[in-house]
Amino acid sequence: AAVPRNFRDMFIFNAAVMGLSGRTWMHELLDSFDAIVANIAKSYRFQEECDVLALRLSKSKVSIELREFKSVMLASLRSLVKDWSSAHETAWSWLWDTLQRMLTSIMGKPAQQEAVLALFLGGSDDCLYQIIRQEVYATFFRMTPTGENYFKQSTSRLHFIVDRVVAMSLEMYREPRRMVEDISALGLRHVGYGIPTDMFGPFVSATVEVFGQVAVDAAVIEAFNWSLGLISRILMRVVNEGSTVVMQAINANSVSQLQRAVACAPRGKRAEWALNVQVGTQSISP
């Protein structure tokens, strides 16, 4: 068999050699490892990756020993890096210790929070949902009057949006991998709508405030706040990353601005800049 030439293949090879190939949870961590390493210097993005990873690891049916991943990781890196030194060992050990500390502080909580939130939402009737639907917008418009310029849809559509926000708070616990993809796609659509990210914070704050008034249990409120906070962070990041100079020109409906935006692109990339905006695995055509 060919000798592995990249980290993922080398990791799988070493895990098998070390008798750890049956640790299925390692594949969840391995899938996120590139993004974690690439964003270690961005505290907000690193926290987001850790939160999502903790949700995915919470679905594991077996006991998780994070130190096992570190052993395989270092063995794989030593095999791939020819001039491996003590500086490399220190740097990668620091990265892993930071990641493990973050994960350890979160792991165990998602399962408990999912249970209490599911119990509350499952026992809520339409009267409670009707209160949330009405009060969220009243609170939001009081906080941010300019928000009325972006919520001009019918009442039924506005109620649907609030219902989806509440439902997504539970779905984030249940299906984190799918939800990240769905939220990314939603964020790119918001780029096309030209909605400023300044609206997200007040809307989340309004939703959290109203939910706190109808949900008496502190554990339920904490579970809802944590999930909705993670959703809003992902959504805002996708909107910011997707708001390229081309999309800004299109939203401004300016031909001259669009021409200047496309002119900034290298010759071989101009068509791609004009026809495709991608964030992660999701893309949208301007």
Side-chain angles (χ1 to χ4, degrees), residues 21-141:
S21 58
R23 307 297 197 271
T24 54
W25 60 268
M26 285 189 176
H27 293 278
E28 290 289 352
L29 213 162
L30 195 56
D31 289 342
S32 300
F33 201 64
D34 281 352
I36 288 170
V37 173
N39 295 287
I40 184 64
K42 303 174 183 176
S43 58
Y44 66 95
R45 180 66 192 280
F46 182 70
Q47 180 69 62
E48 177 192 315
E49 292 293 338
C50 289
D51 289 346
V52 173
L53 179 57
L55 285 174
R56 285 162 47 184
L57 290 177
S58 70
K59 300 303 175 184
S60 175
K61 304 298 182 183
V62 298
S63 177
I64 296 176
E65 295 291 341
L66 292 174
R67 65 177 182 274
E68 294 176 344
F69 189 95
K70 180 181 181 181
S71 300
V72 183
M73 176 195 76
L74 290 176
S76 302
L77 290 169
R78 293 183 194 119
S79 301
L80 292 168
V81 181
K82 293 181 180 180
D83 58 345
W84 184 266
S85 66
S86 59
H88 289 87
E89 191 85 16
T90 301
W92 284 98
S93 294
W94 170 82
L95 182 147
W96 175 258
D97 292 343
T98 303
L99 174 60
Q100 182 171 330
R101 185 169 59 252
M102 296 283 283
L103 289 176
T104 302
S105 68
I106 304 170
M107 286 174 62
K109 295 180 181 178
Q112 299 172 1
Q113 291 174 327
E114 177 186 345
V116 296
L117 187 59
L119 183 63
F120 175 79
L121 294 180
S124 301
D125 56 19
D126 193 61
C127 291
L128 184 139
Y129 275 93
Q130 189 62 30
I131 293 173
I132 296 175
R133 292 167 191 148
Q134 294 175 349
E135 291 302 317
V136 162
Y137 290 106
T139 305
F140 173 61
F141 294 147

Side-chain angles (χ1 to χ4, degrees), residues 24-277:
T24 54
W25 60 268
M26 285 189 176
H27 293 278
E28 290 289 352
L29 213 162
L30 195 56
D31 289 342
S32 300
F33 201 64
D34 281 352
I36 288 170
V37 173
N39 295 287
I40 184 64
K42 303 174 183 176
S43 58
Y44 66 95
R45 180 66 192 280
F46 182 70
Q47 180 69 62
E48 177 192 315
E49 292 293 338
C50 289
D51 289 346
V52 173
L53 179 57
L55 285 174
R56 285 162 47 184
L57 290 177
S58 70
K59 300 303 175 184
S60 175
K61 304 298 182 183
V62 298
S63 177
I64 296 176
E65 295 291 341
L66 292 174
R67 65 177 182 274
E68 294 176 344
F69 189 95
K70 180 181 181 181
S71 300
V72 183
M73 176 195 76
L74 290 176
S76 302
L77 290 169
R78 293 183 194 119
S79 301
L80 292 168
V81 181
K82 293 181 180 180
D83 58 345
W84 184 266
S85 66
S86 59
H88 289 87
E89 191 85 16
T90 301
W92 284 98
S93 294
W94 170 82
L95 182 147
W96 175 258
D97 292 343
T98 303
L99 174 60
Q100 182 171 330
R101 185 169 59 252
M102 296 283 283
L103 289 176
T104 302
S105 68
I106 304 170
M107 286 174 62
K109 295 180 181 178
Q112 299 172 1
Q113 291 174 327
E114 177 186 345
V116 296
L117 187 59
L119 183 63
F120 175 79
L121 294 180
S124 301
D125 56 19
D126 193 61
C127 291
L128 184 139
Y129 275 93
Q130 189 62 30
I131 293 173
I132 296 175
R133 292 167 191 148
Q134 294 175 349
E135 291 302 317
V136 162
Y137 290 106
T139 305
F140 173 61
F141 294 147
R142 186 174 65 252
M143 290 179 173
T144 314
T146 55
E148 295 187 47
N149 297 328
Y150 298 95
F151 287 91
K152 299 179 179 179
Q153 300 92 332
S154 64
T155 302
S156 59
R157 179 63 182 176
L158 295 178
H159 288 179
F160 170 78
I161 293 172
V162 174
D163 289 347
R164 280 300 301 147
V165 169
V166 174
M168 287 169 69
S169 68
L170 181 57
E171 291 172 9
M172 193 68 197
Y173 287 109
R174 290 178 169 172
E175 299 181 82
R177 186 183 288 271
R178 178 184 65 82
M179 282 302 297
V180 169
E181 296 297 321
D182 289 352
I183 295 168
S184 297
L186 179 63
L188 283 179
R189 289 201 296 274
H190 278 73
V191 173
Y193 300 153
I195 298 177
T197 54
D198 295 346
M199 296 291 109
F200 290 102
F203 187 80
V204 170
S205 298
T207 306
V208 167
E209 180 180 324
V210 172
F211 192 86
Q213 294 170 358
V214 298
V216 181
D217 192 335
V220 175
I221 297 172
E222 181 184 359
F224 180 80
N225 292 359
W226 189 87
S227 178
L228 192 59
L230 177 57
I231 291 171
S232 66
R233 280 184 282 135
I234 297 173
L235 194 61
M236 289 178 67
R237 173 181 59 79
V238 172
V239 171
N240 287 328
E241 291 180 3
S243 297
T244 63
V245 288
V246 172
M247 287 301 300
Q248 292 173 17
I250 291 173
N251 289 334
N253 197 27
S254 171
V255 175
S256 60
Q257 190 175 338
L258 178 60
Q259 290 172 338
R260 288 195 300 271
V262 175
C264 294
R267 287 184 181 179
K269 296 287 186 179
R270 288 178 183 174
E272 183 179 337
W273 278 34
L275 297 174
N276 185 60
V277 174

